[in-house]
């Protein structure tokens, strides 16, 4: 598992395309080590403040603060101190180190790609493919197979492109619609669990909804992956690509786009929409006028996003890997049921190869797509789940071996194909890197409590006029961050359990107690959140640009080797021409 991969042997048997996949996967796994360590340190640093956090202390001691009812069935007031454990757990991944880790991951993604380009250049030069022309190779193969082959010229149809764009947008809207179906499920599940006879479900409605919602999301991803692949193939065939490499490139872009929305639509909803369109107690937004929209966990929306990421990524890295290996293994075992064995060794080997699972043009494509989605989970929303690189590292250590066993023992050999890079996948990785900067900036600005804490610390807290050694600067933050709602304003307060002696309840928002409109603090926070988002993204993108400039794509040694070969060929050609010109002319006597 920890041995160096025999890339040259893989190339000799499977061809350069498969060898480059394993070279890239090995380098990606190696580069996950520093990211996993940094993420683990960020997560564990929260343990040092597990009991020392001022916010956690205030929540755990808030026995006299009651939170407003959140469900429609068996509604009751809940003490804020009941969320003590979740408040401490949230601080593990929602702390000051999260910002540093998010910037580090933006830098890591750039350095990973730049060093991979250098690594690829070394490998390709070693294989004498540095100046290889793929178009020329494909035209040569076509001429060999068909001497009457006619050149396929580049064509572009605006009508065909418009139709493909409309169909792609329709599929993207369908993916977003699937996310809305998940929202409906979560709303109905919340209503069902609230009226459940099981005490745990009734008390932990939000946690149960998040966990079951993540499972439903995983099943949806699995089903939509098969549908997206068929749709992407149909769109690609309709576009009529000129060559096989162009077909792969177009198929990659379409399939990745559909897969991105299938995987991340629900996470985008949880991170940026959940709990923000619900209204306020006494005037809640309802689905179809009946069911109350789901709210974030009492400890904040970061807990919902953390659980969703952990469950989906955990299932993707465990259950999906098991299915990916067991499916071809079982198929091979079914084909290899002992029967009439031949005594001829050569015939026996032929039968063994015949029983192996068939492969197709996009067999390697499936492996790349799986890694791209994992890379997306590792970088996008990593601010909410710092353990994502660690899970990816453990998964890849197993994935490399499983892919090798599957290709060597369970599948027929892929048709060897030349390649000098990983193709369109490199552009996909760059796109994910940019999206990761935007998503993590928005998570820190709008989902995390980082900005409200900093604003309170320097504008509203006890340290606004200077630090006081005896007082924590976040003292009073919990009370400041909760809005007040008077229970007399409930339309049916008699239905709420324990409402006899409670005159006011609290909820997470920045609203006035009288008219329930957004308070001044809300607009101040919104302005600072937007300013932080712009600053964070510009700083992170500048760091990415500087890192890309600082690390050359091609090592100087490779450039010099290529330059020397060019010079040697030019000098040899010049010497031949000089000999031809200086040779004595034959004379007739």
């Amino acid at each position: 598992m920890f041995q160096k991969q025999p890339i040259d042997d893989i190339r000799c048997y499977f061809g350069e395309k498969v060898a480059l996949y394993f070279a890239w996967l090995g380098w990606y796994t190696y580069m996950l080590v520093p990211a996993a360590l940094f993420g683990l340190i960020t997560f564990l640093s929260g343990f040092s403040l597990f009991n020392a956090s001022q916010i956690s202390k205030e929540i755990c001691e808030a026995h006299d603060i009651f939170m407003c009812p959140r469900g429609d069935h068996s509604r009751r007031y809940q003490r804020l101190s009941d969320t003590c454990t979740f408040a401490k757990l949230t601080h593990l991944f929602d702390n000051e180190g999260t910002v540093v880790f998010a910037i580090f991951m933006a830098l890591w993604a750039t350095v990973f790609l730049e060093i991979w380009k250098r690594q690829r250049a070394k490998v390709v030069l070693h294989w004498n493919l540095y100046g290889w022309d793929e178009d020329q190779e494909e035209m040569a193969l076509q001429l060999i197979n068909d001497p009457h082959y006619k050149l396929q010229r580049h064509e572009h149809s605006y009508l065909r492109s418009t139709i493909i764009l409309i169909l792609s947008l329709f599929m993207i809207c369908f993916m977003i619609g699937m996310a809305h179906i998940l929202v409906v499920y979560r709303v109905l599940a919340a209503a069902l669990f609230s009226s459940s006879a099981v005490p745990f479900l009734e008390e932990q409605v939000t946690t149960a909804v998040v966990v079951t919602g993540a499972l439903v999301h995983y099943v949806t991803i699995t089903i939509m992956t098969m549908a997206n692949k068929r749709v992407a193939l149909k769109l690609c065939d309709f576009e009529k690509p000129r060559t096989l490499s162009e077909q792969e490139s177009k198929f990659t872009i379409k399939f990745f786009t559909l897969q991105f929305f299938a995987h991340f639509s629900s996470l985008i909803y949880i991170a940026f929409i959940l709990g923000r369109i619900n209204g306020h107690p006494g005037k809640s937004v309802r689905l179809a006028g009946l069911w109350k929209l789901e709210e974030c966990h009492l400890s904040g929306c970061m807990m919902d996003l953390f659980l969703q990421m952990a469950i989906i990524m955990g299932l993707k890295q465990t259950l999906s890997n098991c299915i990916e290996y067991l499916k071809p293994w079982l198929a091979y075992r079914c084909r290899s049921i002992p029967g009439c064995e031949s005594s001829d060794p050569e015939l026996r080997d032929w039968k063994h190869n015949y029983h192996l699972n068939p492969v197709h043009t996009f067999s390697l494509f499936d492996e790349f797509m799986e890694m791209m989605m994992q890379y997306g989970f590792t970088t996008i929303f990593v601010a909410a789940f710092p353990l994502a690189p660690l899970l990816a590292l453990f998964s890849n250590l197993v994935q490399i071996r499983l892919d090798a066993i599957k290709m060597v023992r369970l599948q027929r050999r892929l048709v060897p194909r030349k390649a000098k890079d990983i193709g369109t996948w490199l552009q996909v990785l760059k796109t994910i890197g940019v999206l990761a900067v935007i998503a993590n900036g928005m998570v820190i600005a709008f989902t995390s409590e980082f900005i409200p804490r900093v604003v309170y610390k320097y504008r509203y807290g006890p340290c606004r006029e200077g630090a006081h050694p005896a007082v924590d600067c976040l003292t009073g933050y919990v009370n400041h961050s909760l809005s007040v709602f008077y229970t007399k304003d409930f339309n049916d307060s008699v239905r709420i359990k324990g409402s006899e002696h409670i005159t006011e309840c609290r909820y997470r928002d920045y609203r006035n107690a009288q008219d329930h409109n957004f308070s001044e603090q809300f607009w101040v926070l919104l302005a600072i959140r937007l300013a932080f988002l712009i600053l964070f993204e510009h700083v992170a993108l500048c760091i990415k640009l500087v890192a890309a400039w600082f690390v050359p794509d091609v090592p100087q040694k490779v450039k010099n080797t290529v330059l020397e070969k060019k010079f040697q060929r030019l000098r040899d050609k010049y010497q031949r021409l000089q000999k031809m010109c200086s040779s004595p002319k034959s004379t007739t006597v």
Side-chain angles (χ1 to χ4, degrees), residues 184-479:
V184 174
Y185 163 79
R186 293 165 72 103
V187 171
L188 297 179
L192 178 64
F193 293 154
S194 297
S195 58
S196 173
V198 182
F200 175 78
L201 290 179
E202 186 177 358
E203 295 175 0
Q204 301 293 338
V205 172
T206 304
T207 304
V209 168
V210 171
V211 172
T212 56
L215 295 175
V216 172
H217 186 201
Y218 173 76
V219 174
T220 304
I221 288 174
T222 305
I223 296 173
M224 291 311 301
T225 296
M226 296 182 287
N228 289 340
K229 191 172 185 180
R230 291 180 178 274
V231 171
L233 279 172
K234 293 294 183 181
L235 292 176
C236 192
D237 292 339
F238 180 75
E239 198 169 1
K240 296 181 180 180
R242 189 175 60 89
T243 60
L244 179 60
S245 59
E246 187 175 325
Q247 181 186 18
E248 288 184 347
S249 177
K250 293 180 182 297
F251 177 66
T252 299
I253 295 172
K254 293 175 178 60
F255 191 28
F256 169 76
T257 303
L258 297 178
Q259 285 292 88
F260 176 84
F261 282 96
H263 282 73
F264 293 99
S265 293
S266 180
L267 295 174
I268 292 172
Y269 164 76
I270 293 174
F272 309 123
I273 302 177
L274 178 63
R276 291 168 175 80
I277 57 175
N278 296 50
H280 57 81
K283 189 180 179 181
S284 302
V285 177
R286 295 179 177 272
L287 183 66
L290 299 174
W291 298 285
K292 187 177 180 180
L293 288 183
E294 180 194 8
E295 297 184 18
C296 292
H297 197 276
L298 284 174
S299 59
C301 293
M302 284 288 279
M303 176 60 72
D304 296 80
L305 188 58
F306 176 85
L307 290 175
Q308 187 88 354
M309 286 277 294
I311 293 172
I312 293 178
M313 193 168 183
L315 290 175
K316 288 284 291 181
Q317 306 310 316
T318 54
L319 187 59
S320 294
N321 280 350
C322 292
I323 294 175
E324 181 186 355
Y325 176 77
L326 289 176
K327 185 178 179 181
W329 183 80
L330 291 174
Y332 169 69
R333 287 298 178 185
C334 291
R335 292 191 187 95
S336 305
I337 295 176
C340 181
E341 297 292 338
S342 173
S343 57
D344 187 352
E346 185 175 358
L347 182 59
R348 189 165 56 247
D349 289 341
W350 285 352
K351 290 184 65 177
H352 170 76
N353 293 335
Y354 177 76
H355 289 149
L356 293 175
N357 291 288
V359 295
H360 50 82
T361 308
F362 297 109
S363 292
L364 187 63
F365 178 91
D366 296 335
E367 308 298 337
F368 262 118
M369 179 57 73
E370 182 184 353
M371 287 296 103
M372 292 301 123
M373 289 297 106
Q374 186 209 81
Y375 183 77
F377 279 106
T378 306
T379 52
I380 303 175
F381 299 116
V382 73
F385 189 50
L387 297 179
L390 185 64
L391 287 181
L393 174 62
F394 289 149
S395 174
N396 285 6
L397 291 175
V398 178
Q399 180 75 28
I400 293 176
R401 295 300 137 211
L402 289 182
D403 285 346
I405 294 172
K406 186 170 62 175
M407 290 185 182
V408 175
R409 299 180 183 177
L410 302 178
Q411 290 181 345
R412 298 171 188 171
R413 187 175 72 159
L414 287 165
V415 177
R417 290 182 57 192
K418 281 186 177 181
K420 63 177 181 179
D421 53 35
I422 59 175
T424 312
W425 296 115
L426 186 62
Q427 302 302 320
V428 171
L429 291 170
K430 291 180 179 179
T431 303
I432 292 176
V434 175
L435 292 174
V437 171
I438 298 172
N440 286 312
M442 294 182 68
V443 166
I444 296 172
F446 296 102
T447 312
S448 169
E449 291 289 318
F450 173 75
I451 299 298
R453 288 197 299 260
V454 173
V455 172
Y456 176 81
K457 188 174 182 179
Y458 295 105
R459 183 178 174 88
Y460 302 105
C463 298
R464 60 183 179 274
E465 297 178 355
H468 299 279
V471 180
D472 193 293
C473 293
L474 290 176
T475 301
Y477 170 77
V478 173
N479 184 65

Side-chain angles (χ1 to χ4, degrees), residues 108 124 388:
W108 173 87
V124 171

Side-chain angles (χ1 to χ4, degrees), residues 69-96:
R70 307 172 72 238
D72 288 326
H73 302 276
S74 301
R75 296 190 299 170
R76 63 185 180 86
Y77 294 104
Q78 183 176 3
R79 296 181 188 272
L80 181 60
S81 57
D82 294 344
T83 64
C84 175
T85 303
F86 284 104
K88 292 180 178 180
L89 292 175
T90 303
H91 195 72
L92 295 178
F93 49 86
D94 187 6
N95 52 60
E96 288 71 14

Side-chain angles (χ1 to χ4, degrees), residues 568-582:
Q568 185 65 34
R569 288 196 299 268
L570 184 62
R571 187 173 60 181
D572 293 343
K573 186 176 181 180
Y574 173 74
Q575 289 176 352
R576 287 196 302 269
L577 290 173
Q578 194 176 32
K579 287 181 181 179
M580 291 175 60
C581 294
S582 61

